[in-house]
Structure formats: structure tokens, C-alpha cells
Amino acid sequence: MQKIFARPATLLDTGFHFCPGCHHGIVHRLLCEMLDHYGLRERAVGVPGVGCGVFLYDYIDIDVCEAPHGRATAVATGIKRVQPDHFVFTYQGDGDLGAIGTAEVIHAANRGENFTVIFVNNAVYGMTGGQMAPTTLLGQCTTTSPAGRDSRNDGYPLHLAELLAPLEGVAFAARVSLHTPAHVKKARRALQRAFETQLEKRGFSFLEFISACPTNWRLTPYQSVEHIEKNMLRAFPLGTYKDTGAPASAAAPEEEDTANAVL
Amino acid sequence: MAKRRMMRGSIALAEGAITAGCRYYFGYPITPQNEISEHLSSRLPEVGGVFLQAESEIASINMMLGAAAAGARAMTSSSGPGISLMQEGLSYMAGSELPGLVVNITRLGPGLGGIAACQGDYWQATRGGGHGDYRLIVLAPNSVQEMHDLAIRALHLADQYRNPAMILADAILGQMMEPVNLEPPLVEIPPKPWALTGARGRKAQLIKSLYLADGEMEKHNWKMYAKYQRLQEAEVMVEEDLEEQMDLLLVSFGSCSRMVNSAVALARSRGYRVGHIRPITLFPFPSREIREASRRVGKVLTVEMNTGQMWEDVRLAVHPGTLCRLLARPGGAIPAPKEIFEEIEKFVRAGDHFAENIC
Ligand SMILES: Cc1ncc(C[n+]2csc(CCOP(=O)(O)OP(=O)(O)O)c2C)c(N)n1
Ligand code: SF4
């Protein structure tokens, strides 16, 4: 019998603490597949920010350094400057990267730091119980925007992939989703591009995952998938916003997402 | 053979760090410490190191955290407002038991304050400064030679105890020029089996400060406490200038202690029997030395360029019943030897009522 699906070697054999229907687990798995694919386990260092992804070290069998909330890209800068040939990535939520850590991510990107940022955008603060995030959709109810996010008071959803892509130090910036198997496949391809960017030392790579937080969206896992399809993807167009390593044609946003892409 | 050269304090400190094998510097400009970063921006690349001007002190300290996690000797430097921004990172470094050197060339505060010399950051430095139950190793030089030597010592202590260390100096020490004996490079970096160098031929490693399981955090805090106790036992540095018979003991640190040295010489020339204790490590604090000396003398005058911060540690240290007084200049003024001498004279002659505090 041929085995066609197995746990990646780098993914530890233990249950995730994530809520049912949460997409953090899929991102973890994809990361491990890619670490295995490139044989990086022995020279990888992961830097989780503070959020539901902080327990990365319980699941991924590599060296890990915790970072203060929002500071993962600064910590990764220090690690990568000491060990330029190691594979370094951060793993951050939208509160961590898009609010408290915006200065750090913009400047790491602008310096062209040669590491990879894994950005999990679930439009809420998951770990602290569902407060409004910088990526929260207009009208979305959260524990701190009970009547729905109102642009007059709270501003607008922040588009990190689009914001970072134009910076000269950025070599790769894309947004993917995980709400269908087809999208997971595309996400895997994008993650591979991000890994290649770093391995080829082309500069800063950034991959944003639209991710479900059923618990704080107060939706079932299935409704969460619908919410992503109907609402999240409208506000956050999928696509590759920059890829300096791709042939000119491949740099354009992927076909089916082109309609939504803004860059 | 040691080389002797005329040098500015900031440069001597930077050269000391290089001598100790520090190859990574992360920092953000602020007066009066820019000479350190400016010097290292050209020197570190020369010795194969990295100089990185960060976007803020928050980023600087976290870059240093990352470099330390990867096993490197790393440093940053700043002044009051920037050091305040580093407190979160310092707390994480202490909690994660990561070494590193932070230099505070202090300025006046609170707020934007001013750039004159001052010792108002004593509490921030010696009490940890950030959240949680931790300490920094704090060294306070009083000469250009010590700026150099204590930078080396601080980096060694930080590695040895896996804890961030701070040099607490001021603009006087940073700017002034004195002859310095430069040590030949002595790169004796201890092995760091805990560093995140990739899980090659070993299990994956983790550097963290998050402890959620029942009792874990208490265990961790007691472990760190034991480390601070070991520091207290083994690493106190103090300069004692005592006499057999004394009427008065002075305590001061840093640049201020140089004025006190002059005042002590003046007082002795006028027939007063005075001693002087200068803590070189502010944490661990030389409590035992101060207790012993105060037992013999009964009167202790603390001189500081703040409203009385180290004075609290002195009063905790002195022998019970000691009369304590404070001469404080918190606004950038430097207490002149004559001013200190007058205070010595008054205190020696006065009765108990002159003491501000009896411990
Ligand atoms: C300085 C600081 N402020 C606030 C917090 C509390 N906090 C922990 S996680 C978090 C945000 C989590 O949201 P996100 O980054 O979106 O990640 P998620 O949990 O949704 O994956 C916050 C605000 C903290 N740990 N440190
Ligand atoms: S709170 Fe949200 S982000 Fe966190 S584990 Fe649960 S579903 Fe995932």
C-alpha cells in the first residue's frame, strides 16, 4: 500500500489547542510541510508573536524564540543578523503585526530583512477574547465594537500585504486564504514562493493568510467559511502583490482573484 | 602589554565592548550618547560585526534580544527616554534569561528633561525597571578607565548569569577625556548550549518567558531570585576609602563620587576623619560593606545627583541607629567639593537633630 498523506516530520505528534474550525492549525501544517520540503528543520528558527499562535513551539519541532507582543520582526532581525544562513520566520496575528507591531514590520520590510513573515489575519484579537483588530471589517461586531466597526470612530480595515508590497526591501508579498481545499493548495504554492525568496536571499517575504476565528466571530466553522467567501475576501483581495523572483507574467495576481486585486 | 591612550568615555566604553567580543550593536540616536553609536558604526564592520540603526529603542532592545537568543554578545545604548522604551524588552530578556549590555548615558528627567548629567535613573536601573520580579546587573563607572573596563565586565557577567546588564553613566563620563589602559582583546565567551542555532544533532530548543502551568512561574521566579542571591554573594564591586577612626562616612557613586573624593581630601586636610564608600555595582549593592563601616562610624552622608534614590538603599544597609543625611542635587547641577565639605563639617559637628533620618 502506498501512503499518500502523512503528518510532516516537523509537525509534532500532539493535538492542537486551537478551537474547532480555527485555521491556525492549517498554517502550522503548511509551514511544517515546507520546512520538510526544503530540509530546514536543523537550521530554522521560528519567532511567534503574542496571540493564539504563541504556542508554535508545542507543535513545530524547531528552535523557537518567543517575542514580546508586536516585536517579532525586531527579534527576527537580531537572530537573522547573527545567523544569516539560517531560515528565520515570524508568525504573527493581526493585532500583533497590524497594530502594536506596525513600526517594527514596516522597518524590517524596508530594510529588506531576509526573513519570512507569516501573517494570520482573522480580523479579531483571538487570544484576548475577540476585541476589534485593525483588520476588523466595517460593520463587524466585536467585543469592543459591539455595534459594528464604524469608520468614523475606528477607521478602516488595514491592508498589510498592499501596504508592504511597494516597499523596496520587500521581495515577496501575497495574500491567500484557507477556506477551501483549492485555496489551501494555492496557499501552499504561495508559501513555497515565500520560502524560496528567503532561501535565494532576495529580501523580505510576507504572506498573509485570511484565517477563520469561529469562536470570536460567534459562527460555526461552516458559517465561518461562508463569511470568508462572502465578506472577508471582498475586503481583503487575494493575490500576489509582489514577487521579485517570478517571471513577469507570474507576478500578476492569480487569475480567479484578479477581479479583486488592487495592485 | 596594555596600551595607554587618551580617550573620551563613550569611545572607551565602545572599545571595551569590542574587546569583550561584542559584535552586534542595535540603537537609536539620542543625546548625550550618540558618540557610542557613531563610533561603533565604523568600528563594528571593521571587526566583522553588525551595526544597525533601529527605528526605535523598542526595536533596538528586541533586536538585541534576538541576537542574544542566537548566542551572540550584543549591546545597545541610549539615554533616559530611550531606556524607558526598552523596559518591556528588558523584562522579556530577564524572564527569558538572555544576556546583553544596555548602556544608559543618563539625562535629566522626567519627560524630555534635559541633557545635563544626573543620576535620576538609579531606581529605574536597580529595581529592574520593567514589569515583573527581576533585576538588572548594574555597574556604575566613575572614570574613563572604568567606562572601558566595566563594559567588558558587564558583558562577562551578563553571559555568566544569563541576565541583562546595564552600565549607568552620565554625560560627564561619556564626554570627558582621560588616559586609558586598553586591554588586549580577551574574548572569552562561555559556551551557550541554550542558544537557538538550529536543531542540528540535538532536540529543538525554546527561549520563552511565558509560564502558564500551575506553579511554573513561581518556580521560575525563585530560580531567578537564587541567581540574584548568587550575584549578591559573589559579584559586589565597591571602592572603599576608610580610616581607622572615622567621624563620618560618605556614600556616592558615578561621576558624583569624584566630587566627593575631592571633598574627602579637603576635609582630611582640615583634620576631619572621614571615609568614603563608592558602590561600583549598584545591583548587587554593597550593603554588607556599608553596614560594617556604618557600625564603626554612626553617621552616614549620601551625596547624589537626584532627590535621594540610592539613599534608600543606603538606609536599608546601615547599621541600626546610624544617623543618615542626604545631599541631593537633582537638576543637572553638580555638587561642588566645597558644598560637600560644608555639609561634612556641619554633620560632624552637629548633634542627632541634624540627621534627616535615623535608621
Ligand atoms: C504589550 C501587550 N499588550 C497587550 C497584550 C495582550 N494581548 C495578547 S495577544 C493580543 C492580540 C492577539 O490578537 P492577534 O495578534 O490578532 O492574534 P490571534 O490571537 O487573533 O491569533 C493582545 C492584545 C500583550 N500580551 N502585551
Ligand atoms: S480564539 Fe480564534 S484564533 Fe484563537 S484558537 Fe480559537 S478560533 Fe483560533
Side-chain angles (χ1 to χ4, degrees), chain B residues 62-321:
Chain B
N62 285 292
M63 289 172 183
M64 181 165 108
L65 185 157
R73 269 201 176 156
M75 70 175 286
T76 182
S77 61
S78 187
S79 185
I83 301 290
S84 293
L85 280 182
M86 291 182 189
Q87 296 305 328
E88 178 198 43
L90 283 171
S91 165
Y92 273 77
M93 286 188 75
S96 314
E97 298 197 88
L98 286 173
L101 170 63
V102 182
V103 180
N104 184 359
I105 306 294
T106 60
R107 53 192 259 170
L108 302 174
L112 202 46
I115 59 169
C118 163
Q119 300 181 323
D121 295 354
Y122 177 93
W123 277 334
Q124 185 197 49
T126 58
R127 268 58 182 165
H131 61 287
D133 219 334
Y134 77 96
R135 297 294 195 124
L136 297 178
I137 299 164
V138 188
L139 292 89
N142 85 339
S143 65
V144 176
Q145 183 69 55
E146 280 192 354
M147 290 287 270
H148 173 265
D149 296 353
L150 294 185
I152 301 175
R153 178 116 188 107
L155 281 157
H156 281 294
L157 286 175
D159 272 350
Q160 194 181 337
Y161 289 88
R162 287 189 62 183
N163 199 74
M166 177 178 278
I167 299 269
L168 190 69
D170 58 29
I172 301 174
L173 293 160
Q175 299 295 330
M176 73 186 185
M177 294 188 78
E178 283 181 337
V180 186
N181 285 323
L182 292 176
E183 296 296 326
L186 172 90
V187 186
E188 224 181 74
I189 302 180
K192 300 184 178 181
W194 46 265
L196 304 183
T197 53
R200 176 162 309 188
R202 60 158 169 80
K203 282 193 170 158
Q205 290 182 163
L206 168 62
I207 286 177
K208 66 160 187 173
S209 61
L210 177 67
Y211 294 97
L212 290 177
D214 221 12
E216 252 189 355
M217 194 69 226
E218 181 167 12
K219 207 171 127 198
H220 183 61
N221 274 330
W222 280 124
K223 180 185 154 204
M224 294 212 300
Y225 177 79
K227 174 162 84 178
Y228 302 136
Q229 292 293 99
R230 287 201 302 281
L231 270 158
Q232 189 71 56
E233 286 306 312
E235 307 298 348
V236 168
M237 292 172 75
V238 61
E239 187 182 22
E240 292 177 291
D241 175 14
L242 304 177
E243 305 213 304
E244 203 58 46
Q245 295 284 318
M246 287 182 289
D247 305 314
L248 181 70
L249 174 70
L250 288 106
V251 184
S252 70
F253 75 96
S255 56
C256 185
S257 68
R258 296 173 68 116
M259 316 307 151
V260 173
N261 282 340
S262 305
V264 165
L266 181 59
R268 283 174 181 165
S269 72
R270 305 275 174 93
Y272 292 100
R273 298 173 302 177
V274 293
H276 181 200
I277 287 187
R278 173 173 73 95
I280 298 172
T281 49
L282 300 182
F283 184 82
F285 192 70
S287 306
R288 193 183 301 151
E289 288 74 6
I290 290 174
R291 184 166 56 251
E292 283 310 306
S294 65
R295 195 173 51 79
R296 296 202 278 125
V297 54
K299 283 184 181 176
V300 174
L301 172 64
T302 302
V303 187
E304 286 187 89
M305 283 145 63
N306 54 42
T307 53
Q309 299 192 8
M310 181 179 68
W311 196 43
E312 290 196 349
D313 285 337
V314 173
R315 282 182 294 164
L316 281 171
V318 291
H319 191 260

Side-chain angles (χ1 to χ4, degrees), chain A residues 7-193:
Chain A
R7 185 174 48 78
T10 311
L11 187 63
L12 291 164
D13 192 4
T14 170
F16 286 127
H17 74 281
F18 304 119
C19 312
C22 175
H23 289 171
H24 269 298
I26 307 176
V27 183
H28 277 53
R29 185 193 159 91
L30 291 179
L31 264 171
C32 289
E33 286 179 5
M34 218 48 74
L35 289 165
D36 285 1
H37 178 76
Y38 288 106
L40 294 171
R41 187 196 159 266
E42 299 190 333
R43 58 183 180 102
V45 184
V47 187
V50 183
C52 285
V54 68
F55 298 109
L56 187 98
Y57 44 81
D58 284 340
Y59 311 117
I60 305 188
D61 189 25
I62 55 166
D63 279 5
V64 171
C65 185
E66 240 174 44
H69 191 32
R71 318 297 173 219
T73 51
V75 171
T77 297
I79 294 173
K80 187 75 181 185
R81 292 300 183 109
V82 174
Q83 305 178 125
D85 293 325
H86 277 47
F87 184 84
V88 178
F89 67 90
T90 70
Y91 186 104
Q92 304 175 258
D94 41 71
D96 193 88
L97 180 134
I100 197 167
T102 36
E104 285 80 4
V105 74
I106 286 175
H107 288 280
N110 195 47
R111 286 190 303 268
E113 295 291 343
N114 189 45
F115 57 72
T116 303
V117 170
I118 303 298
F119 174 45
V120 180
N121 176 3
N122 56 18
V124 282
Y125 284 46
M127 192 183 222
T128 42
Q131 295 83 4
M132 183 178 65
T135 48
T136 294
L137 305 182
L138 289 179
Q140 184 181 339
C141 297
T142 69
T143 59
T144 52
S145 58
R149 182 177 189 165
D150 179 349
S151 62
R152 287 170 304 177
N153 192 57
D154 311 317
Y156 299 87
L158 193 60
H159 293 79
L160 271 308
E162 292 91 327
L163 192 72
L164 295 172
L167 299 179
E168 284 163 87
V170 175
F172 179 83
R175 180 182 294 118
V176 293
S177 180
L178 302 163
H179 66 294
T180 66
H183 276 96
V184 172
K185 266 179 138 172
K186 279 189 184 172
R188 182 186 292 117
R189 277 206 301 277
L191 186 60
Q192 184 159 4
R193 296 298 301 154

